[in-house]
Amino acid sequence: MISFRVRSGFIAGAALLAPACAPEPSPPAAPPPSPAVRASAETDPVASAEDAADDPAIWIHPEDPARSLVLGTDKQLGLNVYRLDGVRAQFLPSGRLNNVDVRQAVTLGAYAGDVAGAGDRSDNTVVLFAIAPDGAVAEAGRFASAIAEPYGFCLGLPGGRLTAFVTHKTGEIIAYEPDAFSSARVTARLKLSSQLEGCVFDDKAGVLYVGEEAVGVWRFEYAGAATPAPALIDRVGSETRLAADVEGLAIYAIDERRGYLLASSQGNSIFTVYDRERPNAYRGRFVVADGGGLRGDIDGVAETDGVEATSAPLGPDYPKGVFIAQDGFNADPDTGGPSPQNFKIIDWRAIEEALGLQPAEASNRP
């Protein structure tokens, strides 16, 4: 955003026409406060120090939704798997994984079941994981990234076919269609002008959303190699909305058509909410504040990287689903001092109430 500052003074040769002391312009009004929500739970911290936790995904247990799991990357070491109470259930040392995503009940070659995927910057591959019915996660294979440093990542089901979308610092987006855990073909190459990371695919609408970190949020009406030029649905530059960097993106689907797109605005530590339907009208913003959890000792969220959301009921604690955000400045609940980064779990009902959003229970969730 380019800003201009007016200074007092005079133009040579026009001193008699100018006031002796021109008034300074009034400072801009402070932006209104964002509605605040608080986390219901937080995950155990990642093992790596400093900038390490990055992106979450959600796996929904097929028989007992309260036993659903949160997958979260440690971008220095691998993949963490957490229960909904935040306790780490599993760790996989799978490399420098930035972003992770999940799709369930898919077919991949001879395999039928649930899959997670991530880009691995350690060896420039896309790594795929098989998720067992009991939630156990195992690395199942990997295939080469077409260009170096796979950065952002999301999965989708365009036309019902599992597709991995990898975004890059170069502005490139490459779509891969795996035919097995260890092989895939490139089905589309899309391009924006600068560094990308977060993306999310709306399976029902066939829409790919991509965050261009210093520019804004883009909407692609995805059609493989024939995908038309994207539409910019919101631009970086407003202190009350998007401030660089645009990072994680998530979909909260109420039914096949309605719901919300959420984006993490890292530069001002807020989350923006848009209608899922075109033209993705802006619906509001919120922050995650200190004071969450039963004891009020869960800190808020700042400088978030990745986010995720689901409208699926996840047991009695989360009957309308959850929103999950990486926390860039985590505090130890016992000492109040700094702790390695983690992920905060927010009851969707808190967001719904804070922003006056459409109640999710009025519709059938996908």
Side-chain angles (χ1 to χ4, degrees):
M1 179 177 70
I2 301 173
S3 60
F4 299 89
R5 179 175 293 176
V6 179
R7 299 182 180 180
S8 60
F10 60 92
I11 301 173
L16 296 177
L17 299 178
C21 183
E24 290 286 345
S26 300
S34 298
V37 302
R38 289 168 176 79
S40 297
E42 62 178 338
T43 69
D44 290 333
V46 298
S48 300
E50 299 181 352
D51 184 22
D54 195 275
D55 187 54
I58 300 169
W59 175 79
I60 300 168
H61 195 286
E63 297 178 354
D64 183 359
R67 293 166 58 196
S68 297
L69 299 170
V70 176
L71 284 66
T73 58
D74 177 335
K75 60 188 176 186
Q76 309 300 335
L77 292 175
L79 183 67
N80 293 283
V81 182
Y82 303 99
R83 302 188 322 224
L84 289 179
D85 62 4
V87 173
R88 185 183 292 105
Q90 191 178 357
F91 173 72
L92 293 91
S94 294
R96 299 172 61 213
L97 312 181
N98 248 36
N99 290 181
V100 62
D101 205 2
V102 170
R103 284 297 183 273
Q104 297 186 235
V106 300
T107 299
L108 183 55
Y111 174 83
D114 302 343
V115 172
D120 184 359
R121 293 173 297 144
S122 302
D123 60 0
N124 295 316
T125 62
V126 173
V127 55
L128 296 177
F129 303 87
I131 308 177
D134 63 358
V137 181
E139 184 174 331
R142 52 181 68 212
F143 57 85
S145 172
I147 58 176
E149 196 174 8
Y151 200 57
F153 180 88
C154 57
L155 291 171
L157 294 170
R161 298 181 301 275
L162 183 68
T163 300
F165 298 92
V166 180
T167 67
H168 294 269
K169 292 180 178 180
T170 59
E172 293 168 275
I173 307 155
I174 302 183
Y176 303 86
E177 187 177 320
D179 52 24
F181 280 112
S182 298
S183 64
R185 63 187 182 93
V186 173
T187 53
R189 290 177 179 259
L190 310 175
K191 186 74 168 68
L192 292 170
S193 61
S194 63
Q195 180 166 320
L196 313 176
E197 186 170 357
C199 66
V200 66
F201 192 82
D202 187 333
D203 292 331
K204 299 296 184 181
V207 172
L208 174 67
Y209 295 98
V210 177
E212 188 173 5
E213 291 190 352
V215 176
V217 179
W218 294 90
R219 175 187 175 117
F220 289 86
E221 304 291 339
Y222 187 71
T227 298
L232 185 65
I233 67 171
D234 203 1
R235 180 180 294 277
V236 164
S238 167
E239 290 304 315
T240 61
R241 281 165 63 166
L242 292 181
D245 292 339
V246 177
E247 291 286 343
L249 298 173
I251 295 286
Y252 182 90
I254 294 175
D255 55 25
E256 291 198 1
R257 183 173 53 87
R258 295 173 299 162
Y260 304 103
L261 169 70
L262 299 99
S264 61
S265 175
Q266 192 176 68
N268 51 12
S269 296
I270 68 171
F271 303 96
T272 53
V273 182
Y274 309 86
D275 282 337
R276 183 177 161 215
E277 297 176 79
R278 190 191 299 169
N280 302 106
Y282 174 72
R283 294 297 302 272
R285 66 191 189 279
F286 64 92
V287 299
V288 181
D290 292 342
L294 294 176
R295 298 187 300 168
D297 59 354
I298 299 179
D299 62 312
V301 169
E303 294 192 13
T304 291
D305 279 309
V307 296
E308 183 59 292
T310 182
S311 62
L314 300 181
D317 291 338
Y318 303 112
K320 295 184 181 180
V322 296
F323 174 72
I324 302 176
Q326 180 262 7
D327 183 11
F329 291 94
N330 182 37
D332 187 302
D334 296 320
T335 67
S339 173
Q341 297 174 342
N342 71 349
F343 301 90
K344 275 23 182 209
I345 302 172
I346 297 97
D347 187 339
W348 180 260
R349 293 174 295 179
I351 299 169
E352 190 177 84
E353 180 179 355
L355 297 186
L357 299 177
Q358 177 179 347
E361 75 272 12
S363 333
N364 294 319
R365 299 182 182 90

